Amino acid sequence: MIPPIYSPWESGVWQQQLQDAYRDVRALLADLELDGSSAAVAASDQQAFSMLVPRAFAARMRRGDACDPLLRQVLPTQAEDDQVEGFVEDPLRETDTFSQIPALVHKYHGRALLIAAPECAVHCRYCFRRAFPYQEHRPKHLDAALAAVQADPSISELILSGGDPLLMSDQAWSSLLQKIDRIAHVIRLRIHTRMPIVLPARITEGWLKPVQESRFPVTVVIHCNHVNELDADTERAVATLRACGVHVLNQAVLLRGVNDTCAAQVALCEGLFAQGVLPYYLHLPDQVAGTAHFYVDTACGTELHEQMRRVLPGYLLPKLVREVPGEPAKQILSIS
């Protein structure tokens, strides 16, 4: 099979798509031919964590299916108001323990995470940073955060996250990479983003050029949870990244009612690989307030992963992990 041609999108397309995204629950449900009057559905204007869904992502949802796995990830529901013991706003203690410097999260030796942008292009209802105080980690703090990285020679890898770093303007993105380039002890750059999945048109020449001009081996970790999120546009986005020498990995979150079956996970891993993406992590969900209805416990997660191991070749089996505050690295719950 001849791989898709390297073909970035024209500048300006993604901004218009983001502007046109769904922000009203009733409009999204109406276009999906679903009833929005159910008591289980929460109006986005009544939610502290509002709804935001690009139409390119919504187009992959099944019409008339209230249980569509993509819809479940983004639809605000009354279940988010449930108070469940053990589910708190900051289960990973990022705010009170690991973010002593604005815009910088430093949890693990040798690696630091930069809050490069405080917004996302989609609001995933299971988000572990849904209550993160982004107002305290605005882009104006990036220079101070980079100065802290410059002062700590133990940091060899910088992880750009958010929010979503691909929401930065091309100019701001180029400036940021140039500044990181000047920190000699940073030798690897990792970018965590959902944009190649939910808004693939963000992969433009303006975004790629600074990546190609940087001195780093760059890894982009995309976030895809279900095979139905993949289409011709995501394949084009990944092919374009790879054509520029970018390593592309995936991390997924194990979500009840979305992808918590062996069939769903096997289809996801095989679908990702067909598009040139290597499955990397399968995260057990964090115990975040408002997300208990998505939760999959450790016993169920490890059993599911064992089922996957019996079916998938080793290179397509993601590591099953969870984050434990204070641990030196993510906790690997099964070997792959």
Side-chain angles (χ1 to χ4, degrees), residues 82-89 91 285-293 295:
D82 294 345
Q83 303 295 313
V84 180
E85 185 178 358
F87 286 76
V88 297
E89 288 193 345
D286 301 306
Q287 291 185 279
V288 184
T291 71
H293 52 298
Y295 191 68

Side-chain angles (χ1 to χ4, degrees), residues 10-259:
E10 292 183 6
S11 179
V13 174
W14 71 274
Q15 293 99 325
Q16 186 61 52
Q17 290 183 352
L18 184 59
Q19 184 177 330
D20 293 340
Y22 289 102
R23 291 172 171 80
D24 180 77
V25 169
R26 298 171 191 85
L28 172 62
L29 293 178
D31 285 354
L32 291 174
E33 302 171 11
L34 291 168
D35 181 11
S37 63
S38 168
V41 176
S44 59
D45 55 6
Q46 297 174 352
Q47 289 274 327
F49 184 46
S50 63
M51 190 190 80
L52 178 63
V53 186
R55 290 175 184 267
F57 187 73
R60 300 167 218 162
M61 299 174 187
R62 296 188 293 254
R63 269 47 186 171
D65 184 358
C67 295
D68 177 83
L70 278 59
L71 177 62
R72 281 183 55 82
Q73 294 180 57
V74 299
L75 183 67
T77 66
Q78 296 293 348
E80 295 177 35
D81 297 330
D82 294 345
Q83 303 295 313
V84 180
E85 185 178 358
F87 286 76
V88 297
E89 288 193 345
D90 186 19
L92 303 184
R93 291 172 25 211
E94 286 191 336
T95 303
D96 63 3
T97 305
F98 301 113
S99 299
Q100 301 305 308
I101 297 170
L104 191 68
V105 180
H106 196 180
K107 292 188 283 189
Y108 302 138
H109 176 76
R111 307 182 294 284
L113 184 148
L114 199 68
I115 302 291
E119 299 91 11
C120 287
V122 64
H123 289 175
C124 302
R125 309 317 300 178
Y126 53 86
C127 179
F128 74 97
R129 288 196 183 121
R130 56 185 289 157
F132 191 80
Y134 284 112
Q135 68 277 6
E136 300 171 13
H137 299 266
R138 307 300 294 182
K140 66 182 181 181
H141 297 297
L142 286 176
D143 283 345
L146 289 174
V149 174
Q150 175 74 69
D152 187 347
S154 73
I155 298 174
S156 58
E157 181 174 19
L158 202 54
I159 302 166
L160 306 185
S161 184
D164 196 310
L166 269 67
L167 276 177
M168 300 180 77
S169 69
D170 289 348
Q171 181 178 1
W173 175 247
S174 178
S175 175
L176 176 61
L177 262 59
Q178 289 173 23
K179 292 173 182 177
I180 297 172
D181 241 12
R182 293 194 285 268
I183 304 177
H185 56 264
V186 173
I187 59 174
R188 290 183 303 277
L189 189 65
R190 193 186 338 162
I191 301 160
H192 284 235
T193 176
R194 191 121 157 85
M195 294 282 271
I197 296 298
V198 301
L199 209 61
R202 179 61 185 103
I203 307 304
T204 63
E205 288 280 7
W207 187 84
L208 290 164
K209 190 170 184 288
V211 174
Q212 291 176 291
E213 291 175 346
S214 76
R215 60 179 169 83
F216 304 105
V218 175
T219 299
V220 169
V221 183
I222 64 173
H223 177 184
C224 179
N225 294 320
H226 195 278
V227 69
N228 290 2
E229 297 177 36
L230 302 173
D231 66 1
D233 281 345
T234 64
E235 184 175 23
R236 174 181 167 186
V238 170
T240 304
L241 289 168
R242 294 182 68 200
C244 294
V246 174
H247 305 282
V248 187
L249 308 176
N250 183 67
Q251 61 176 8
V253 181
L254 187 55
L255 301 167
R256 183 171 15 140
V258 173
N259 60 6

